[in-house]
Amino acid sequence: MARKRRSFRRPKPKLAYRKLFVIATEGEKTEPAYFELFNSKEATVWIKVLPSRRQTSPQQVLERTLDYVKEKNLKKGMKSGWSLTGMSC
């Protein structure tokens, strides 16, 4: 009786860690669409885009981000936080 052949294919490695970036945008469609392009199963980062809710002042965008971090208890392992806002001259 012949032996069954073994497969020599290696399993794809699984990422044990993906860095999370939480982004609150001013826009409702364009900016979230840009950042969602980065999310894939192979990516080493995970981007969570928070909905605008028509709160677009820099202070409101920052508050939305901080509320999400607090709600999801992300502050515990957080090493840094960033806030980017655009300004018109």
Side-chain angles (χ1 to χ4, degrees):
M1 180 187 245
R3 282 197 221 179
K4 194 175 187 181
R5 283 193 169 219
R6 286 189 329 179
S7 173
F8 288 102
R9 291 185 187 178
R10 290 184 179 191
K12 290 184 179 182
K14 294 180 182 177
L15 295 174
Y17 174 77
R18 289 178 18 153
K19 191 166 188 167
L20 170 65
F21 289 88
V22 178
I23 299 175
T25 63
E26 291 178 338
E28 294 182 37
K29 295 180 182 177
T30 308
E31 292 94 337
Y34 290 149
F35 292 112
E36 289 295 335
L37 292 172
F38 290 100
N39 288 335
S40 72
K41 290 182 181 180
E42 294 83 27
T44 57
V45 297
W46 172 40
I47 297 178
K48 171 65 178 164
V49 181
L50 303 179
S52 172
R53 296 187 297 198
R54 301 197 188 275
Q55 298 172 337
T56 60
S57 76
Q59 183 65 33
Q60 290 170 327
V61 172
L62 178 61
E63 286 174 6
R64 221 172 341 125
T65 307
L66 294 174
D67 289 346
Y68 181 83
V69 168
K70 188 182 227 181
E71 176 187 319
K72 299 295 182 183
N73 198 22
L74 299 176
K75 205 171 191 178
K76 186 177 179 182
M78 204 160 118
K79 294 183 180 174
S80 64
W82 300 60
S83 177
L84 305 172
T85 57
M87 296 180 73
S88 300
C89 294

